[in-house]
Amino acid sequence: MAAVLTVALPYTTAAQDVEGGASVFKKCAACHQVGANAKNALGPELTCVIGRKVASVDGFAYSEGLKHASFTTWDDEHFLQWIENNKKLVPGTKMIFPAGVKDETDRANLLAYIKSQCAK
């Protein structure tokens, strides 16, 4: 029985992280969509953003700041920095998100949720 609980625990924790991230994503949903049917809105769609080239979604008008960011691909580290304080990471971005996501756990959960929405 203990072995079953040990094996199941990481999955349960991950599921809670994704669920927590879905809740945090509500802050983002005013401007962004994510998932199989996501479209650009006020902000670009975020499906499979991790591993994607910066400022690369077709049909979205990116700021010059983001087009000339100091990094070229969205990875976990840059995404987490972006959602904490996007203007610090990329001066000149037009994204308005002054509150950011300050809580480290919320940022990690949001990242888990965003990754979970990438179609395999």
Side-chain angles (χ1 to χ4, degrees):
M1 180 73 162
V4 172
L5 291 175
T6 303
V7 171
L9 186 58
Y11 178 78
T12 303
T13 302
Q16 290 170 341
D17 291 344
V18 169
E19 290 173 15
S23 180
V24 176
F25 186 77
K26 291 176 184 176
K27 296 178 182 181
C28 310
C31 299
H32 296 279
Q33 295 182 17
V34 66
N37 298 315
K39 295 178 177 52
N40 293 335
L42 187 56
E45 61 88 6
L46 298 177
T47 307
C48 300
V49 67
I50 304 303
R52 185 165 73 197
K53 187 175 189 262
V54 173
S56 65
V57 173
D58 288 337
F60 188 79
Y62 289 95
S63 64
E64 289 302 311
L66 205 47
K67 288 179 188 177
H68 298 98
S70 63
F71 58 101
T72 58
T73 303
W74 287 109
D75 56 20
D76 292 3
E77 178 185 351
H78 288 105
F79 180 82
L80 292 169
Q81 290 174 12
W82 175 263
I83 61 175
E84 180 179 15
N85 187 339
N86 62 304
K87 295 205 182 278
K88 181 178 178 184
L89 181 63
V90 180
T93 182
K94 66 182 179 179
M95 181 173 145
I96 300 169
F97 192 46
V101 179
K102 300 303 182 204
D103 183 81
E104 185 176 358
T105 299
D106 284 349
R107 289 193 306 272
N109 290 348
L110 179 58
L111 177 60
Y113 173 71
I114 293 288
K115 285 180 166 184
S116 79
Q117 298 303 299
C118 186
K120 295 182 169 66

